[in-house]
Amino acid sequence: MRRAVNDLLGAYDKLIMDPVHGGIPLYRHEIQVIDHPLFQRLRNICQNDILSLVFPGATHSRFLHSVGVMHVGTRMFRSMIDAYLRERQLSEQTDLTLSQLDAIDYLAKTIRLGCLLHDSGHSSFSHQFTQARRIRELMSRQDRFRNLWTGVDFSQYHSEEPEELEHEHYSVRVAHEVLSAVDLEAAGLDRRDVIGIMETTDVRPSETFRRHSETFWNFIAGDEAKSGSMPDENIPGLVMDLLSSIVSGEIDADRADYMLRDGFHSSVTIGGLNLDHLLTNFRFGWDVSEPWLGLAITHKGLGALEDFVYSRHQMYRKVYAHKTALGFDWLLREAINEVLEDQENFEWIDICLSDMRFFAELTDSFFWEAFRKVARQNPQSYSFCIVNRVKLDHLDTREDLSEKGIARHSEWLARELGLNPAHVVTCSMRARFSNIQDNFNGIKVLVRDPINRARSLRKITEVSAFFSKFSDGTITHFYTRPTITLGPVEAMTE
């Protein structure tokens, strides 16, 4: 119990200096996680694949991003705790009991580790790695999932085998490996609870988590919790859903950090995202009749939430879908395919994707060396383009075209410009915003009656028309490949 009190008072063991957030405190068990080779590998994986070829400052790593997400997730949770205590003490003098302190501390530390490990399964060049054709073939191999979990019971985290592996499945596997090597018992934590708030998992929480969940639910919902008829066995699921939404939800620590970090390192200021303003307006939302426990935002904080969504929308349009950046992404995927034409490379990557003993070898550095080797041997290669920044020549940009529309426009450009149709390359990025309205209905707006100050929760789209303005959008760039490359062209869509 003394440990919980000390930790909540800010007793930390180490401080990491981060260019975006400043000093980020770490506890002893978190230092052990960070020092593990499987986490250290994130230092050698760029957050934005090869975006630095367009925005030179964007060389930041998955390592710093992961530490930043942990920091933001902590701030989100503690900001809601602080606001709750502050508002309760306006109407009644409330002191936290030791069991409540212990529960809050346990959940906060679980969130921190979930955030820290959420991207630990990313391979070289982050998302572009799994978009490469030959990598997808490797990821889809029969028994890949079972080979990855050889000697370990994966059913404690996954109720069934996934049909196709994604980086989230590797994050779970890495998290199991790392947390198994860390003295979590000394920190009073259980790895099942940490991994249970990560994506793709279906976990039965520990007895410790269940006990703390009931304490937390009764603390938050108060008298309403006592008057409700919800079975006690449902409470841990509600709390786990709340924690999961902080790690990976529509408004989560991951998005908040990468928007701030990518904008900072790209030297691109878009929108008016103010993280401090947003966090101070988050609240715990609960409804014993549904039952529901999740994120709520004050009515006055809607403007900050709108800024968050608009900034994210603009980052997709102006940075991630930048015409030169998407062109380099296409070249990168083709260069990865080239590297895997070498049987020795192919077999080595195959081993790394199946065995945690070698997974740490999958970094950007491995492929950069392979690109240089291919470029030296073949100046007509895609690898040569990556190494020497030979970009695709941009022809045109269109939005919201269907697949047939893209093909027709590609043919029209080739015909009008006198190009070989096979030399026209198309790259698309789909900004998925159609789920904003549905998912944001999971975030309630806290409205108070001006007369009796009674609280009520409303769907966010009932209070603000702003969020209904967004829908999925596809940006497609058309290019002609560099004359230096003579290989077959394959149109790829992100």
Side-chain angles (χ1 to χ4, degrees), residues 212-264:
H212 287 319
S213 295
E214 291 177 16
T215 300
F216 183 74
W217 170 252
N218 291 325
F219 164 66
I220 293 296
D223 293 337
E224 293 182 47
K226 299 175 184 177
S227 63
S229 58
M230 182 177 61
D232 288 346
E233 58 265 25
N234 292 352
I235 294 174
L238 287 181
V239 176
M240 189 157 276
D241 287 345
L242 169 68
L243 270 55
S244 297
S245 69
I246 293 174
V247 177
S248 54
E250 195 58 40
I251 297 292
D252 58 17
D254 179 31
R255 287 188 171 96
D257 182 81
Y258 77 60
M259 285 169 54
L260 289 172
R261 194 171 300 278
D262 294 353
F264 174 84

CSV table of all heavy atoms in Angstrom, one decimal, residues 212-264:
chain,number,residue,atom,x,y,z
A,212,HIS,N,-9.8,-4.7,-7.8
A,212,HIS,CA,-9.5,-3.3,-8.0
A,212,HIS,C,-10.6,-2.7,-8.9
A,212,HIS,O,-11.0,-1.5,-8.7
A,212,HIS,CB,-8.2,-3.0,-8.6
A,212,HIS,CG,-7.0,-3.2,-7.7
A,212,HIS,ND1,-7.1,-2.9,-6.3
A,212,HIS,CD2,-5.8,-3.8,-7.8
A,212,HIS,CE1,-5.9,-3.2,-5.7
A,212,HIS,NE2,-5.1,-3.8,-6.6
A,213,SER,N,-11.1,-3.4,-9.8
A,213,SER,CA,-12.2,-2.9,-10.7
A,213,SER,C,-13.5,-2.6,-9.9
A,213,SER,O,-14.1,-1.6,-10.1
A,213,SER,CB,-12.5,-3.9,-11.8
A,213,SER,OG,-11.4,-4.1,-12.7
A,214,GLU,N,-13.8,-3.5,-9.0
A,214,GLU,CA,-15.0,-3.3,-8.2
A,214,GLU,C,-14.8,-2.1,-7.3
A,214,GLU,O,-15.8,-1.3,-7.1
A,214,GLU,CB,-15.3,-4.5,-7.4
A,214,GLU,CG,-15.8,-5.7,-8.2
A,214,GLU,CD,-16.0,-7.0,-7.4
A,214,GLU,OE1,-16.1,-6.9,-6.2
A,214,GLU,OE2,-16.1,-8.1,-8.0
A,215,THR,N,-13.7,-1.9,-6.7
A,215,THR,CA,-13.4,-0.8,-5.9
A,215,THR,C,-13.5,0.5,-6.7
A,215,THR,O,-14.1,1.5,-6.3
A,215,THR,CB,-12.0,-0.9,-5.3
A,215,THR,OG1,-11.9,-2.0,-4.5
A,215,THR,CG2,-11.6,0.4,-4.4
A,216,PHE,N,-12.9,0.5,-7.9
A,216,PHE,CA,-12.9,1.7,-8.8
A,216,PHE,C,-14.3,2.0,-9.2
A,216,PHE,O,-14.7,3.2,-9.2
A,216,PHE,CB,-12.0,1.4,-10.0
A,216,PHE,CG,-11.9,2.6,-10.9
A,216,PHE,CD1,-11.1,3.6,-10.6
A,216,PHE,CD2,-12.5,2.6,-12.1
A,216,PHE,CE1,-11.0,4.7,-11.4
A,216,PHE,CE2,-12.4,3.6,-13.0
A,216,PHE,CZ,-11.6,4.7,-12.6
A,217,TRP,N,-15.1,1.0,-9.6
A,217,TRP,CA,-16.5,1.2,-10.1
A,217,TRP,C,-17.3,1.8,-9.0
A,217,TRP,O,-18.1,2.8,-9.2
A,217,TRP,CB,-17.1,-0.1,-10.6
A,217,TRP,CG,-18.6,0.0,-10.8
A,217,TRP,CD1,-19.6,-0.6,-10.1
A,217,TRP,CD2,-19.2,0.7,-11.9
A,217,TRP,NE1,-20.8,-0.3,-10.7
A,217,TRP,CE2,-20.6,0.4,-11.8
A,217,TRP,CE3,-18.8,1.4,-13.0
A,217,TRP,CZ2,-21.5,0.9,-12.7
A,217,TRP,CZ3,-19.7,1.9,-13.9
A,217,TRP,CH2,-21.1,1.7,-13.7
A,218,ASN,N,-17.2,1.3,-7.8
A,218,ASN,CA,-18.0,1.9,-6.6
A,218,ASN,C,-17.5,3.3,-6.3
A,218,ASN,O,-18.3,4.1,-5.9
A,218,ASN,CB,-17.8,0.9,-5.4
A,218,ASN,CG,-18.6,-0.4,-5.6
A,218,ASN,OD1,-19.6,-0.5,-6.3
A,218,ASN,ND2,-18.0,-1.5,-5.1
A,219,PHE,N,-16.2,3.5,-6.5
A,219,PHE,CA,-15.7,4.9,-6.2
A,219,PHE,C,-16.2,5.9,-7.2
A,219,PHE,O,-16.7,7.0,-6.9
A,219,PHE,CB,-14.2,4.8,-6.3
A,219,PHE,CG,-13.5,6.1,-6.4
A,219,PHE,CD1,-13.6,7.1,-5.4
A,219,PHE,CD2,-12.7,6.4,-7.5
A,219,PHE,CE1,-12.9,8.3,-5.5
A,219,PHE,CE2,-12.1,7.7,-7.7
A,219,PHE,CZ,-12.2,8.6,-6.6
A,220,ILE,N,-16.2,5.5,-8.5
A,220,ILE,CA,-16.6,6.4,-9.6
A,220,ILE,C,-18.2,6.6,-9.6
A,220,ILE,O,-18.7,7.7,-9.6
A,220,ILE,CB,-16.2,5.9,-10.9
A,220,ILE,CG1,-14.6,6.0,-11.0
A,220,ILE,CG2,-16.8,6.7,-12.1
A,220,ILE,CD1,-14.1,7.4,-11.0
A,221,ALA,N,-18.9,5.5,-9.6
A,221,ALA,CA,-20.4,5.6,-9.7
A,221,ALA,C,-21.0,5.9,-8.4
A,221,ALA,O,-22.2,6.3,-8.4
A,221,ALA,CB,-20.9,4.3,-10.3
A,222,GLY,N,-20.4,5.7,-7.3
A,222,GLY,CA,-20.9,6.1,-6.0
A,222,GLY,C,-22.2,5.4,-5.6
A,222,GLY,O,-22.4,4.2,-5.8
A,223,ASP,N,-23.2,6.2,-5.2
A,223,ASP,CA,-24.5,5.7,-4.8
A,223,ASP,C,-25.2,5.1,-6.0
A,223,ASP,O,-26.0,4.1,-5.8
A,223,ASP,CB,-25.3,6.8,-4.2
A,223,ASP,CG,-24.8,7.4,-2.9
A,223,ASP,OD1,-24.0,6.6,-2.2
A,223,ASP,OD2,-25.1,8.5,-2.6
A,224,GLU,N,-24.9,5.5,-7.2
A,224,GLU,CA,-25.6,4.9,-8.4
A,224,GLU,C,-25.2,3.5,-8.5
A,224,GLU,O,-26.0,2.6,-9.0
A,224,GLU,CB,-25.3,5.7,-9.6
A,224,GLU,CG,-25.9,7.1,-9.6
A,224,GLU,CD,-25.6,7.9,-10.9
A,224,GLU,OE1,-25.7,7.3,-12.0
A,224,GLU,OE2,-25.1,9.0,-10.9
A,225,ALA,N,-23.9,3.2,-8.2
A,225,ALA,CA,-23.4,1.8,-8.3
A,225,ALA,C,-24.2,0.9,-7.4
A,225,ALA,O,-24.5,-0.2,-7.7
A,225,ALA,CB,-21.9,1.8,-8.1
A,226,LYS,N,-24.4,1.4,-6.2
A,226,LYS,CA,-25.1,0.6,-5.1
A,226,LYS,C,-26.6,0.4,-5.5
A,226,LYS,O,-27.1,-0.7,-5.2
A,226,LYS,CB,-25.0,1.3,-3.8
A,226,LYS,CG,-23.6,1.5,-3.3
A,226,LYS,CD,-23.6,2.4,-2.0
A,226,LYS,CE,-22.2,2.7,-1.6
A,226,LYS,NZ,-22.1,3.6,-0.4
A,227,SER,N,-27.2,1.3,-6.2
A,227,SER,CA,-28.6,1.2,-6.6
A,227,SER,C,-28.8,0.4,-7.8
A,227,SER,O,-29.9,0.0,-8.2
A,227,SER,CB,-29.2,2.5,-6.7
A,227,SER,OG,-28.6,3.3,-7.8
A,228,GLY,N,-27.7,0.2,-8.6
A,228,GLY,CA,-27.8,-0.6,-9.9
A,228,GLY,C,-28.0,-2.1,-9.6
A,228,GLY,O,-27.7,-2.6,-8.6
A,229,SER,N,-28.4,-2.7,-10.7
A,229,SER,CA,-28.6,-4.2,-10.6
A,229,SER,C,-27.6,-5.0,-11.4
A,229,SER,O,-27.7,-6.2,-11.7
A,229,SER,CB,-30.0,-4.5,-11.1
A,229,SER,OG,-30.2,-4.1,-12.4
A,230,MET,N,-26.4,-4.3,-11.8
A,230,MET,CA,-25.5,-5.0,-12.6
A,230,MET,C,-24.7,-6.1,-11.8
A,230,MET,O,-24.2,-5.8,-10.7
A,230,MET,CB,-24.5,-4.0,-13.2
A,230,MET,CG,-23.4,-4.6,-14.1
A,230,MET,SD,-22.3,-3.4,-14.8
A,230,MET,CE,-21.6,-2.7,-13.4
A,231,PRO,N,-24.6,-7.3,-12.3
A,231,PRO,CA,-23.8,-8.3,-11.6
A,231,PRO,C,-22.4,-7.9,-11.5
A,231,PRO,O,-21.8,-7.3,-12.3
A,231,PRO,CB,-23.9,-9.5,-12.5
A,231,PRO,CG,-25.1,-9.3,-13.4
A,231,PRO,CD,-25.2,-7.8,-13.6
A,232,ASP,N,-21.7,-8.3,-10.4
A,232,ASP,CA,-20.4,-7.9,-10.1
A,232,ASP,C,-19.4,-8.5,-11.2
A,232,ASP,O,-18.4,-7.8,-11.5
A,232,ASP,CB,-19.9,-8.5,-8.7
A,232,ASP,CG,-20.6,-7.7,-7.6
A,232,ASP,OD1,-21.1,-6.6,-7.8
A,232,ASP,OD2,-20.6,-8.2,-6.4
A,233,GLU,N,-19.7,-9.6,-11.8
A,233,GLU,CA,-18.8,-10.2,-12.8
A,233,GLU,C,-18.7,-9.3,-14.0
A,233,GLU,O,-17.8,-9.5,-14.9
A,233,GLU,CB,-19.2,-11.6,-13.1
A,233,GLU,CG,-20.6,-11.8,-13.7
A,233,GLU,CD,-21.6,-12.1,-12.6
A,233,GLU,OE1,-21.4,-11.8,-11.4
A,233,GLU,OE2,-22.7,-12.7,-12.9
A,234,ASN,N,-19.7,-8.4,-14.2
A,234,ASN,CA,-19.6,-7.5,-15.4
A,234,ASN,C,-18.7,-6.3,-15.2
A,234,ASN,O,-18.3,-5.7,-16.2
A,234,ASN,CB,-21.0,-7.0,-15.8
A,234,ASN,CG,-21.9,-8.1,-16.3
A,234,ASN,OD1,-21.4,-9.3,-16.5
A,234,ASN,ND2,-23.2,-7.9,-16.4
A,235,ILE,N,-18.4,-6.0,-14.0
A,235,ILE,CA,-17.6,-4.8,-13.7
A,235,ILE,C,-16.2,-4.8,-14.3
A,235,ILE,O,-15.8,-3.8,-14.9
A,235,ILE,CB,-17.6,-4.5,-12.2
A,235,ILE,CG1,-19.0,-4.2,-11.7
A,235,ILE,CG2,-16.6,-3.4,-11.8
A,235,ILE,CD1,-19.1,-4.1,-10.2
A,236,PRO,N,-15.4,-5.9,-14.1
A,236,PRO,CA,-14.1,-5.9,-14.7
A,236,PRO,C,-14.1,-5.7,-16.2
A,236,PRO,O,-13.1,-5.0,-16.7
A,236,PRO,CB,-13.5,-7.3,-14.4
A,236,PRO,CG,-14.3,-7.7,-13.1
A,236,PRO,CD,-15.7,-7.1,-13.3
A,237,GLY,N,-15.1,-6.2,-16.9
A,237,GLY,CA,-15.1,-5.9,-18.3
A,237,GLY,C,-15.3,-4.4,-18.7
A,237,GLY,O,-14.7,-3.9,-19.6
A,238,LEU,N,-16.2,-3.8,-17.9
A,238,LEU,CA,-16.4,-2.3,-18.1
A,238,LEU,C,-15.1,-1.5,-17.9
A,238,LEU,O,-14.7,-0.7,-18.6
A,238,LEU,CB,-17.4,-1.8,-17.1
A,238,LEU,CG,-18.9,-2.2,-17.4
A,238,LEU,CD1,-19.8,-1.6,-16.3
A,238,LEU,CD2,-19.3,-1.7,-18.8
A,239,VAL,N,-14.4,-1.9,-16.8
A,239,VAL,CA,-13.1,-1.2,-16.5
A,239,VAL,C,-12.1,-1.5,-17.5
A,239,VAL,O,-11.3,-0.6,-17.9
A,239,VAL,CB,-12.7,-1.5,-15.1
A,239,VAL,CG1,-11.3,-0.9,-14.7
A,239,VAL,CG2,-13.7,-1.1,-14.0
A,240,MET,N,-12.0,-2.7,-18.0
A,240,MET,CA,-11.0,-3.1,-19.0
A,240,MET,C,-11.3,-2.3,-20.3
A,240,MET,O,-10.4,-1.9,-21.0
A,240,MET,CB,-11.0,-4.6,-19.2
A,240,MET,CG,-9.8,-5.0,-20.1
A,240,MET,SD,-9.4,-6.8,-19.8
A,240,MET,CE,-8.3,-6.6,-18.4
A,241,ASP,N,-12.6,-2.2,-20.6
A,241,ASP,CA,-12.9,-1.4,-21.8
A,241,ASP,C,-12.5,0.0,-21.7
A,241,ASP,O,-12.1,0.7,-22.7
A,241,ASP,CB,-14.5,-1.5,-22.1
A,241,ASP,CG,-14.9,-2.9,-22.6
A,241,ASP,OD1,-14.0,-3.6,-23.0
A,241,ASP,OD2,-16.1,-3.2,-22.5
A,242,LEU,N,-12.7,0.6,-20.5
A,242,LEU,CA,-12.3,2.0,-20.3
A,242,LEU,C,-10.8,2.1,-20.5
A,242,LEU,O,-10.3,3.0,-21.2
A,242,LEU,CB,-12.6,2.4,-18.9
A,242,LEU,CG,-12.0,3.8,-18.4
A,242,LEU,CD1,-12.6,4.9,-19.2
A,242,LEU,CD2,-12.2,3.9,-16.9
A,243,LEU,N,-10.0,1.2,-19.9
A,243,LEU,CA,-8.5,1.3,-20.1
A,243,LEU,C,-8.1,1.1,-21.5
A,243,LEU,O,-7.2,1.7,-22.0
A,243,LEU,CB,-7.9,0.3,-19.1
A,243,LEU,CG,-7.5,0.7,-17.7
A,243,LEU,CD1,-8.7,1.2,-17.0
A,243,LEU,CD2,-6.9,-0.5,-16.9
A,244,SER,N,-8.8,0.1,-22.2
A,244,SER,CA,-8.5,-0.1,-23.6
A,244,SER,C,-8.7,1.1,-24.5
A,244,SER,O,-8.0,1.4,-25.4
A,244,SER,CB,-9.3,-1.3,-24.1
A,244,SER,OG,-9.0,-2.5,-23.4
A,245,SER,N,-9.8,1.9,-24.1
A,245,SER,CA,-10.1,3.1,-25.0
A,245,SER,C,-9.0,4.1,-24.8
A,245,SER,O,-8.8,5.0,-25.7
A,245,SER,CB,-11.5,3.6,-24.6
A,245,SER,OG,-11.4,4.2,-23.3
A,246,ILE,N,-8.3,4.1,-23.7
A,246,ILE,CA,-7.2,5.1,-23.5
A,246,ILE,C,-6.0,4.7,-24.3
A,246,ILE,O,-5.3,5.5,-24.9
A,246,ILE,CB,-6.8,5.2,-22.0
A,246,ILE,CG1,-8.0,5.8,-21.2
A,246,ILE,CG2,-5.6,6.0,-21.8
A,246,ILE,CD1,-7.8,5.9,-19.7
A,247,VAL,N,-5.8,3.4,-24.4
A,247,VAL,CA,-4.6,2.8,-25.2
A,247,VAL,C,-4.9,2.9,-26.7
A,247,VAL,O,-4.1,3.4,-27.5
A,247,VAL,CB,-4.3,1.4,-24.8
A,247,VAL,CG1,-3.2,0.8,-25.6
A,247,VAL,CG2,-3.9,1.3,-23.3
A,248,SER,N,-6.1,2.5,-27.1
A,248,SER,CA,-6.4,2.4,-28.5
A,248,SER,C,-7.9,2.6,-28.7
A,248,SER,O,-8.7,1.7,-28.8
A,248,SER,CB,-6.0,1.1,-29.1
A,248,SER,OG,-6.6,0.0,-28.4
A,249,GLY,N,-8.3,3.9,-28.7
A,249,GLY,CA,-9.7,4.2,-29.0
A,249,GLY,C,-9.8,5.3,-30.0
A,249,GLY,O,-8.8,5.6,-30.7
A,250,GLU,N,-10.9,5.9,-30.2
A,250,GLU,CA,-11.0,7.0,-31.2
A,250,GLU,C,-10.3,8.3,-30.8
A,250,GLU,O,-9.7,9.0,-31.5
A,250,GLU,CB,-12.5,7.3,-31.5
A,250,GLU,CG,-12.7,8.1,-32.7
A,250,GLU,CD,-12.2,7.4,-34.0
A,250,GLU,OE1,-12.4,6.2,-34.1
A,250,GLU,OE2,-11.6,8.2,-34.8
A,251,ILE,N,-10.3,8.5,-29.5
A,251,ILE,CA,-9.5,9.6,-28.9
A,251,ILE,C,-8.6,8.9,-27.9
A,251,ILE,O,-9.0,8.6,-26.7
A,251,ILE,CB,-10.3,10.6,-28.2
A,251,ILE,CG1,-11.2,11.3,-29.2
A,251,ILE,CG2,-9.5,11.7,-27.5
A,251,ILE,CD1,-10.5,12.2,-30.2
A,252,ASP,N,-7.4,8.6,-28.3
A,252,ASP,CA,-6.5,7.8,-27.4
A,252,ASP,C,-5.1,8.4,-27.3
A,252,ASP,O,-4.8,9.4,-27.9
A,252,ASP,CB,-6.4,6.3,-27.9
A,252,ASP,CG,-5.9,6.2,-29.3
A,252,ASP,OD1,-5.3,7.2,-29.8
A,252,ASP,OD2,-6.0,5.2,-30.0
A,253,ALA,N,-4.3,7.8,-26.4
A,253,ALA,CA,-3.0,8.3,-26.1
A,253,ALA,C,-2.1,8.2,-27.4
A,253,ALA,O,-1.2,9.0,-27.6
A,253,ALA,CB,-2.4,7.6,-24.9
A,254,ASP,N,-2.3,7.1,-28.1
A,254,ASP,CA,-1.5,6.8,-29.3
A,254,ASP,C,-1.7,8.0,-30.3
A,254,ASP,O,-0.7,8.6,-30.8
A,254,ASP,CB,-2.0,5.5,-29.9
A,254,ASP,CG,-1.2,5.1,-31.2
A,254,ASP,OD1,-0.1,5.5,-31.3
A,254,ASP,OD2,-1.8,4.5,-32.1
A,255,ARG,N,-2.9,8.3,-30.7
A,255,ARG,CA,-3.2,9.3,-31.7
A,255,ARG,C,-2.7,10.7,-31.2
A,255,ARG,O,-2.1,11.5,-31.9
A,255,ARG,CB,-4.7,9.4,-32.0
A,255,ARG,CG,-5.1,8.3,-32.9
A,255,ARG,CD,-6.6,8.5,-33.3
A,255,ARG,NE,-7.0,7.5,-34.3
A,255,ARG,CZ,-7.6,6.4,-34.1
A,255,ARG,NH1,-8.0,6.1,-32.8
A,255,ARG,NH2,-8.0,5.5,-35.0
A,256,ALA,N,-3.0,11.0,-29.9
A,256,ALA,CA,-2.5,12.3,-29.3
A,256,ALA,C,-1.0,12.4,-29.4
A,256,ALA,O,-0.5,13.5,-29.8
A,256,ALA,CB,-3.0,12.4,-27.9
A,257,ASP,N,-0.3,11.4,-29.1
A,257,ASP,CA,1.2,11.5,-29.2
A,257,ASP,C,1.7,11.6,-30.6
A,257,ASP,O,2.5,12.5,-30.9
A,257,ASP,CB,1.9,10.3,-28.5
A,257,ASP,CG,3.4,10.5,-28.5
A,257,ASP,OD1,3.9,11.2,-27.7
A,257,ASP,OD2,4.0,9.9,-29.4
A,258,TYR,N,1.2,10.7,-31.5
A,258,TYR,CA,1.8,10.8,-32.9
A,258,TYR,C,1.4,12.0,-33.6
A,258,TYR,O,2.2,12.5,-34.5
A,258,TYR,CB,1.5,9.5,-33.7
A,258,TYR,CG,0.1,9.3,-34.3
A,258,TYR,CD1,-0.4,10.2,-35.2
A,258,TYR,CD2,-0.6,8.1,-34.0
A,258,TYR,CE1,-1.6,9.9,-35.8
A,258,TYR,CE2,-1.8,7.9,-34.6
A,258,TYR,CZ,-2.3,8.8,-35.5
A,258,TYR,OH,-3.5,8.5,-36.1
A,259,MET,N,0.2,12.6,-33.3
A,259,MET,CA,-0.1,13.9,-34.0
A,259,MET,C,0.8,15.0,-33.5
A,259,MET,O,1.3,15.8,-34.3
A,259,MET,CB,-1.6,14.2,-33.7
A,259,MET,CG,-2.5,13.4,-34.5
A,259,MET,SD,-4.2,13.6,-34.0
A,259,MET,CE,-4.4,15.4,-34.1
A,260,LEU,N,1.1,15.1,-32.2
A,260,LEU,CA,2.0,16.1,-31.7
A,260,LEU,C,3.4,15.8,-32.2
A,260,LEU,O,4.1,16.7,-32.6
A,260,LEU,CB,1.9,16.1,-30.2
A,260,LEU,CG,0.7,16.7,-29.5
A,260,LEU,CD1,0.7,16.4,-28.0
A,260,LEU,CD2,0.5,18.2,-29.8
A,261,ARG,N,3.8,14.6,-32.1
A,261,ARG,CA,5.2,14.2,-32.4
A,261,ARG,C,5.5,14.3,-33.9
A,261,ARG,O,6.5,14.9,-34.3
A,261,ARG,CB,5.5,12.8,-31.9
A,261,ARG,CG,7.0,12.4,-31.9
A,261,ARG,CD,7.2,11.1,-31.2
A,261,ARG,NE,6.7,11.1,-29.8
A,261,ARG,CZ,7.4,11.6,-28.8
A,261,ARG,NH1,8.6,12.1,-29.0
A,261,ARG,NH2,6.9,11.6,-27.6
A,262,ASP,N,4.6,13.8,-34.7
A,262,ASP,CA,4.8,13.9,-36.2
A,262,ASP,C,4.8,15.3,-36.7
A,262,ASP,O,5.6,15.7,-37.5
A,262,ASP,CB,3.8,13.1,-36.9
A,262,ASP,CG,3.9,11.6,-36.7
A,262,ASP,OD1,4.8,11.2,-36.0
A,262,ASP,OD2,3.0,10.8,-37.1
A,263,GLY,N,3.9,16.1,-36.1
A,263,GLY,CA,3.8,17.5,-36.4
A,263,GLY,C,5.1,18.3,-36.0
A,263,GLY,O,5.7,19.1,-36.8
A,264,PHE,N,5.6,18.0,-34.8
A,264,PHE,CA,6.8,18.6,-34.3
A,264,PHE,C,8.0,18.3,-35.1
A,264,PHE,O,8.8,19.2,-35.6
A,264,PHE,CB,7.0,18.2,-32.8
A,264,PHE,CG,8.3,18.6,-32.2
A,264,PHE,CD1,8.4,19.9,-31.6
A,264,PHE,CD2,9.4,17.8,-32.2
A,264,PHE,CE1,9.6,20.3,-31.1
A,264,PHE,CE2,10.6,18.3,-31.6
A,264,PHE,CZ,10.7,19.5,-31.1
